[in-house]
Amino acid sequence: MNWDEVKTAFQVARVGTVSGAAEVLGVHHATVIRHIDALEAELKTKLFQRHARGYTPTEAGQDLLQVAKVTDDQFTQMVGRLKGQGAEISGDLVVTSLRPVGELLAPILVDFQRMHPGLRVRFLTGARVFRLEYGEAHVAIRAGKPPQEPDNVVQPFSTVQIGLYADKDYVARNGMPKTDEELATHDFVGPDDESSRAPFFQWMKETIPQDRVLFRCSDQEDGERAIIAGAGIGFMSEVMARSHPNLVEIAAPRKEWEAASWIVTHVDLHRTPKVQAFLKFLKERARAQGYG
């Protein structure tokens, strides 16, 4: 398979148009079209859907291009070493995390990108577990138990202290519970998915009657907004709670509620200058802000 054709397809998928890919690659747009046609003919499958606004990868195209993304990163790393420019940081940096971590990560990513103007940052948040082996992300921040995939490099990131909080107006209306038994008589904000693996939600499931979880959310951020609005008692990180002066600490953070998180990278990209530089920057900034 001709690597030039694969690299062309990768750029078309990244920018979405033939003209844009041609500009990035420094070739004529007819060359881009010829490379795509040749690659599809060799593979006997359609890699892109053509439409008026540009090119969109098909499912087969996504599979090929995720592998191409990893290969492109590795090739860039090798060329940098050969030219004595191994520390150059450029291209795409894809970082994924759960949404609650975004408050910490977004400013760090902004500062890192400013340090490296040739870098394009993609910050993807949500519950989906991105497949690092296919190059869907360079760095993932994951919560819970340490990931077990054999080709991943897993490092501790932070342990977030989690407590129970409620709005002061809720406490004024309903009183301040003193024991776990009294807690079980109060209104709670909790997850809509009762199978949540978060240790604090497991405690809630075992300790608080389900008919007392009166406000349920599919997203933890929405749950925090409901707590702040006075819907009931709920879990929140100590750092987040401190930024809302109207919140009252109902129960101080406990060891059993701690939320551990992990930095995960794939072994094929872990040693690239871009990933190593970001990991160093991320750890330093996180420590300076009291995480970890």
Side-chain angles (χ1 to χ4, degrees), residues 163-200:
L164 279 173
Y165 300 89
D167 179 73
K168 65 180 183 181
D169 290 338
Y170 173 87
V171 176
R173 292 193 309 269
N174 298 279
M176 182 77 171
K178 305 294 186 186
T179 64
D180 285 359
E181 289 72 20
E182 290 183 16
L183 273 173
T185 67
H186 277 257
D187 300 340
F188 269 77
V189 176
D192 188 57
D193 180 5
E194 294 183 13
S195 65
S196 171
R197 294 176 296 175
F200 43 91

Side-chain angles (χ1 to χ4, degrees), residues 91-158:
D92 289 337
L93 174 67
V94 186
V95 178
T96 177
S97 77
L98 293 171
R99 285 191 183 92
V101 186
E103 186 175 7
L104 167 68
L105 281 183
I108 293 175
L109 284 165
V110 170
D111 288 347
F112 188 69
Q113 195 278 329
R114 284 175 180 161
M115 290 172 58
H116 305 285
L119 195 67
R120 294 179 299 271
V121 171
R122 295 178 60 213
F123 184 32
L124 312 177
T125 59
R128 179 191 164 200
V129 177
F130 287 81
R131 299 168 68 186
L132 302 185
E133 68 272 22
Y134 286 134
E136 290 186 339
H138 294 92
V139 178
I141 307 297
R142 296 182 181 168
K145 295 180 179 179
Q148 298 297 317
E149 294 89 345
D151 291 332
N152 285 345
V153 179
V154 179
Q155 304 173 73
F157 178 48
S158 70

Side-chain angles (χ1 to χ4, degrees), residues 10-261:
F10 172 58
Q11 292 299 335
V12 170
R14 190 178 67 78
V15 301
T17 65
V18 167
S19 59
E23 183 177 352
V24 170
L25 295 166
V27 299
H28 194 274
H29 74 274
T31 302
V32 174
I33 294 172
R34 186 171 67 252
H35 281 180
I36 298 299
D37 290 344
L39 189 58
E40 289 184 331
E42 182 177 354
L43 295 174
K44 297 182 174 61
T45 188
K46 185 179 287 293
L47 299 174
F48 294 94
Q49 295 290 348
R50 281 80 163 167
H51 50 77
R53 297 181 304 278
Y55 280 40
T56 301
T58 62
E59 186 175 350
Q62 289 285 5
D63 284 345
L64 175 68
L65 297 167
Q66 296 294 357
V67 175
K69 186 187 299 182
V70 174
T71 306
D72 187 65
D73 271 338
Q74 293 173 322
F75 186 75
T76 300
Q77 177 193 17
M78 181 192 71
V79 171
R81 287 199 306 266
L82 293 176
K83 290 182 177 180
Q85 299 172 345
E88 183 178 348
I89 309 300
S90 61
D92 289 337
L93 174 67
V94 186
V95 178
T96 177
S97 77
L98 293 171
R99 285 191 183 92
V101 186
E103 186 175 7
L104 167 68
L105 281 183
I108 293 175
L109 284 165
V110 170
D111 288 347
F112 188 69
Q113 195 278 329
R114 284 175 180 161
M115 290 172 58
H116 305 285
L119 195 67
R120 294 179 299 271
V121 171
R122 295 178 60 213
F123 184 32
L124 312 177
T125 59
R128 179 191 164 200
V129 177
F130 287 81
R131 299 168 68 186
L132 302 185
E133 68 272 22
Y134 286 134
E136 290 186 339
H138 294 92
V139 178
I141 307 297
R142 296 182 181 168
K145 295 180 179 179
Q148 298 297 317
E149 294 89 345
D151 291 332
N152 285 345
V153 179
V154 179
Q155 304 173 73
F157 178 48
S158 70
T159 301
V160 179
Q161 302 300 314
I162 304 292
L164 279 173
Y165 300 89
D167 179 73
K168 65 180 183 181
D169 290 338
Y170 173 87
V171 176
R173 292 193 309 269
N174 298 279
M176 182 77 171
K178 305 294 186 186
T179 64
D180 285 359
E181 289 72 20
E182 290 183 16
L183 273 173
T185 67
H186 277 257
D187 300 340
F188 269 77
V189 176
D192 188 57
D193 180 5
E194 294 183 13
S195 65
S196 171
R197 294 176 296 175
F200 43 91
F201 285 144
Q202 286 292 316
W203 178 92
M204 179 185 289
K205 184 177 180 181
E206 296 166 2
T207 309
I208 306 302
Q210 289 303 297
D211 61 1
R212 300 308 308 169
V213 185
L214 300 182
F215 199 106
R216 297 174 181 269
C217 300
S218 59
D219 185 278
Q220 192 169 333
E221 280 191 358
D222 291 330
E224 291 170 350
R225 293 187 186 102
I227 297 166
I228 293 165
I233 298 171
F235 286 106
M236 191 179 296
S237 74
E238 191 175 37
V239 173
M240 173 72 74
R242 282 202 300 264
S243 65
H244 295 281
N246 285 339
L247 289 180
V248 176
E249 185 181 78
I250 304 298
R254 301 179 185 177
K255 183 73 176 176
E256 62 191 300
W257 296 342
E258 288 180 351
S261 61

